[in-house]
Amino acid sequence: MGQTFDWFSERGINLVRSDSDREYAGHIKGIKNVQLIFLSASEIPRELSSGRLHFGVTGNDVIQEKLVHFNQLAKPISELGFGFADLIIAVPSFWVDVETLDDFDAVSAQFRDKHGYRLRIATKYHRLLREFLMKAGVADYQIVDSQGATEGAVKNGLAEAIADITSTGDTLKANHLKILSDGLILKSQATLFKSLVADFSQEENQVANSLLKKLRAKN
Amino acid sequence: MTDLKDLSREAKRLAVVFEATGAEVVELDFLQISNVLLDLYGEDIRGRAFITNDPVYGEMMLRPDFTIPIVEQHMTNSLSPARYTYCGKVFRRQEEFPDRPREFLQVGYEIFDGANPEKADAEVFSLVNEALNGIPVRIATGDIGILMAAVRSLSTTETRKKALLRHIWRPHRFKTLLNQFSGLSSKPQPNQDLEDYNKLIDKFQTIGSRNIQEIKERLQQIKLESETDTIDPDEVKILDDILSLKDTCTVALSYLEKVSKKMPGIEKTLDNFAKRLEFLENNGISVDVLDFEGSYGRTSMEYYDGFVFGFYSETHTDLAPVATGGRYDALTERMGQGKKIPAVGAVLRPDLTLLLRENNRD
């Protein structure tokens, strides 16, 4: 949140949090008629696509996971240059026979033969993973839902592989996992989105335009 | 907006064509236990079906088709020959094409009978053709069985054939594998010898259900694969020729018969092809003008393993197919846990046939 505040203030837009830190609300200094709302990053896609929010800052990973045909619902205005994360597929490091998706697919077949069930991948990015593997022609796997601490899923016996976001790769390493060389599903960072379905009154349009003008001046 | 009365009249009109054969009319539950469908289609089905949860049965799906549950019922209840027909709604998520309907009627027909498979193929096709009488359609046919027989008759290892057969319905990956096996693209090479790999394994903690033994077996396989001769380019050429074949059934058959001189392994499937054409001809279908595509049925019909066909609107080319069908012998075996019976079936879309009839009238 601090980084988002900094990014806006560098562009002459000063976000201010309400006096009470417990209240998830705020405003912009000197600009009336803008209401600032603090929401979980994963809820922002839904609010943008329902038109309840005009603008929102969140990662493009959650936008693309949660919104079908996201580019018809929300438009990326600017990347904020932080919150970098890659959505990747990782397997145990001791799988020395696996480096690529080709290997992964071959292992899926082998695993199903040996164990009688489909190799499990833990993730919260169900849609993105499924589309990626369908395009790659990988078969005989199954997705198990994991909403947090996904890196631990293999060690804990819940899955054979994971698909999750990573920035440095340290957590993966600490959990005895390695990334498939061609297993990058998407690159993500914090991004300012504009809702393409929200109603903009004349007044709201003016406010939006003046904000966008300030952003453009810096970029 | 389609008039619901018109739609149910159209569905009835299609259904009577199949009911007239004396087929048993089947009704199915809307909710189906997910496991069977997941085992068969893999994870992709979750992108296409509506899923819900039952506190006792766990994950359940609104039926995305009739065929699988009918096969399951038939394989559990009886093994005697049977004909089934059905008319009811199926439910599909539409992520890729949001404008397509989430629920729509299907009318279908399935024959479980091994006495004369080619005659059954022709029966299903001819009935569909009869039901669609008056609608301008383009018809495509193919035969996955010929393709599979060609792969099985390659002079190479069983491991390679198995890998190719597993991906026959994923053309892209099939091509990648074929290129690797035939030396057209680089294949996985062990860049260290097995001893070094074994030392490497020891550096890491072993986690998850895949064990060291499985990894060593696969390393051995990679080594074997790298030492195996590439597939003869002439055989790859034959496979490519079959895949790119597009002609009328009659011409395709005589072309494939020539091909079989060099690849005798496909002869039996060509005999079946020839028999099927005879039966179709007897039913009044002009096979001289019926299209045949060597690759048809590879992308969207994952359980078909023999004769395949699809009827498409000639005027509305963006529309989903009006009817599709095919043979699925291997599916009955997979679901029959050892028992099997040759089977063929087809499914039609009354909403689309109604639309096309109305447009045709205008």
Side-chain angles (χ1 to χ4, degrees):
Chain A
M1 198 173 74
Q3 281 169 302
T4 306
F5 276 47
D6 293 345
W7 187 85
F8 277 97
S9 85
E10 279 164 26
R11 284 152 185 81
I13 300 169
N14 293 305
L15 311 184
V16 185
R17 195 161 182 181
S18 302
D19 295 339
S20 159
D21 271 355
R22 286 166 200 275
E23 194 188 346
Y24 291 105
H27 62 275
I28 297 181
K29 208 163 146 189
I31 301 181
K32 277 189 191 139
N33 302 322
V34 178
Q35 192 189 352
L36 218 53
I37 298 170
F38 299 93
L39 277 180
S40 151
S42 61
E43 286 170 26
I44 288 174
R46 186 188 64 211
E47 298 304 308
L48 285 169
S49 69
S50 68
R52 283 190 290 267
L53 287 182
H54 292 104
F55 291 93
V57 173
T58 187
N60 52 307
D61 57 337
V62 286
I63 288 278
Q64 293 194 35
E65 168 66 22
K66 303 233 169 188
L67 303 182
V68 177
H69 298 283
F70 76 97
N71 44 12
Q72 294 170 16
L73 301 168
K75 180 184 166 190
I77 301 293
S78 186
E79 295 176 332
L80 270 55
F82 62 86
F84 290 104
D86 293 343
L87 177 56
I88 52 86
I89 298 174
V91 299
S93 305
F94 87 104
W95 289 13
V96 295
D97 60 325
V98 178
E99 272 163 30
T100 63
L101 284 166
D102 280 0
D103 292 323
F104 188 75
D105 175 62
V107 165
S108 298
Q110 183 202 25
F111 188 88
R112 193 172 183 178
D113 271 354
K114 296 258 176 206
H115 296 263
Y117 61 94
R118 291 168 293 131
L119 183 146
R120 300 165 300 172
I121 312 176
T123 193
K124 66 175 169 191
Y125 297 93
H126 298 218
R127 240 165 43 79
L128 290 172
L129 176 63
R130 197 171 55 230
E131 277 172 18
F132 181 79
L133 292 179
M134 201 188 318
K135 277 198 193 107
V138 173
D140 297 299
Y141 70 94
Q142 62 181 306
I143 292 175
V144 289
D145 184 47
S146 166
Q147 289 296 328
T150 305
E151 296 93 340
V154 181
K155 170 114 186 165
N156 294 330
L158 305 174
E160 282 68 55
I162 67 155
D164 203 6
I165 48 166
T166 176
S167 40
T168 62
D170 289 347
T171 319
L172 289 176
K173 218 172 272 169
N175 284 285
H176 319 287
L177 298 170
K178 65 173 178 184
I179 300 173
L180 294 183
S181 64
D182 51 357
L184 176 65
I185 300 172
L186 89 108
K187 288 177 111 47
S188 176
Q189 64 170 300
T191 305
L192 172 66
F193 287 94
K194 182 188 182 191
S195 169
L196 294 176
V197 286
D199 286 329
F200 281 81
S201 69
Q202 208 178 355
E203 195 193 350
E204 285 164 342
N205 227 343
Q206 274 172 10
V207 177
N209 284 336
S210 74
L211 285 173
L212 290 173
K213 212 165 152 190
K214 286 191 180 190
L215 298 180
R216 250 178 256 129
K218 163 85 182 185
N219 287 342
Chain B
M1 197 60 213
T2 311
D3 187 326
L4 283 179
K5 265 192 221 147
D6 288 346
L7 183 60
S8 73
R9 204 176 300 130
E10 174 68 12
K12 191 71 208 156
R13 182 204 323 234
L14 298 176
V16 291
V17 175
F18 301 105
E19 284 167 19
T21 64
E24 182 183 332
V25 180
V26 189
E27 305 243 358
L28 281 183
D29 290 338
F30 283 107
L31 282 173
Q32 299 283 327
I33 294 171
S34 291
N35 285 350
V36 182
L37 289 153
L38 276 169
D39 263 351
L40 195 73
Y41 288 109
E43 207 60 33
D44 296 353
I45 190 70
R46 282 193 220 260
R48 289 187 279 157
F50 288 98
I51 296 167
T52 186
N53 257 289
D54 179 88
V56 178
Y57 291 125
E59 199 178 79
M60 299 191 85
M61 279 179 192
L62 278 173
R63 64 182 184 214
D65 69 33
F66 280 78
T67 305
I68 311 289
I70 288 178
V71 174
E72 200 193 3
Q73 272 186 15
H74 182 85
M75 297 316 287
T76 357
N77 298 338
S78 109
L79 274 180
S80 36
R83 280 166 170 69
Y84 300 108
T85 184
Y86 57 84
C87 172
K89 270 191 171 173
V90 297
F91 305 84
R92 302 274 176 89
R93 284 171 56 166
Q94 300 291 358
E95 292 197 2
E96 205 182 334
F97 304 103
D99 296 336
R100 291 188 176 174
R102 270 86 185 147
E103 50 178 280
F104 49 87
L105 279 174
Q106 280 191 343
V107 171
Y109 184 62
E110 321 280 350
I111 301 179
F112 293 77
D113 192 349
N116 194 336
E118 291 72 36
K119 196 174 174 190
D121 287 348
E123 178 183 330
V124 172
F125 182 91
S126 308
L127 286 170
V128 172
N129 191 56
E130 181 191 333
L132 298 179
N133 186 25
I135 300 172
V137 284
R138 173 180 73 80
I139 307 174
T141 70
D143 192 334
I144 304 276
I146 298 173
L147 207 53
M148 290 175 129
V151 171
R152 285 195 186 101
S153 58
L154 293 172
S155 6
T156 189
T157 60
E158 285 307 309
T159 315
R160 280 180 176 174
K161 292 183 201 175
K162 198 175 157 194
L164 286 169
L165 287 170
R166 171 170 171 254
H167 282 306
I168 217 143
W169 296 277
R170 295 177 200 88
H172 177 70
R173 182 146 292 268
F174 182 88
K175 189 78 200 149
T176 308
L177 287 174
L178 190 60
N179 285 347
Q180 283 175 8
F181 297 157
S182 56
L184 288 171
S185 69
S186 64
K187 55 184 167 182
Q189 295 277 355
N191 40 20
Q192 307 172 62
D193 59 44
L194 288 178
E195 275 306 301
D196 292 337
Y197 270 122
N198 288 340
K199 276 184 213 143
L200 191 59
I201 295 181
D202 292 338
K203 282 200 209 155
F204 302 104
Q205 217 185 96
T206 55
I207 54 169
S209 345
R210 187 169 182 248
N211 60 39
I212 289 185
Q213 190 51 38
E214 288 168 65
I215 290 166
K216 289 188 176 167
E217 272 172 33
R218 178 146 187 278
L219 286 170
Q220 195 68 44
Q221 258 173 31
I222 296 174
K223 186 160 178 290
L224 274 176
E225 168 58 32
S226 71
E227 292 162 359
T228 306
D229 288 340
T230 53
I231 299 178
D232 182 351
D234 288 345
E235 290 192 346
V236 178
K237 170 91 174 45
I238 295 177
L239 210 54
D240 281 339
D241 287 347
I242 296 177
L243 284 169
S244 54
L245 178 59
K246 256 187 178 182
D247 219 310
T248 63
C249 285
T250 323
V251 177
L253 176 61
S254 67
Y255 172 83
L256 288 168
E257 276 167 346
K258 257 176 252 148
V259 167
S260 72
K261 300 280 177 287
K262 289 177 279 176
M263 194 178 257
I266 64 171
E267 271 169 9
K268 177 149 189 322
T269 58
L270 297 185
D271 290 346
N272 299 343
F273 185 15
K275 266 190 248 164
R276 187 188 308 133
L277 292 186
E278 260 175 55
F279 284 116
L280 285 168
E281 195 80 54
N282 290 345
N283 292 353
I285 310 282
S286 327
V287 294
D288 292 340
V289 293
L290 187 62
D291 285 331
F292 181 91
E293 292 173 32
S295 278
Y296 187 73
R298 285 182 76 204
T299 47
S300 55
M301 310 172 172
E302 25 210 316
Y303 49 72
Y304 293 138
D305 54 5
F307 178 46
V308 276
F309 61 86
F311 288 66
Y312 300 82
S313 165
E314 262 192 330
T315 43
H316 296 56
T317 44
D318 55 331
L319 225 52
V322 180
T324 54
R327 174 158 292 283
Y328 49 84
D329 297 351
L331 178 66
T332 67
E333 188 174 6
R334 211 158 138 183
M335 301 187 64
Q337 286 152 357
K339 301 176 289 183
K340 59 179 171 180
I341 182 168
V344 59
V347 51
L348 299 84
R349 291 272 304 262
D351 56 339
L352 302 183
T353 58
L354 178 65
L355 175 83
L356 295 171
R357 272 189 224 281
E358 282 171 349
N359 279 329
N360 203 26
R361 214 175 295 136
D362 293 341

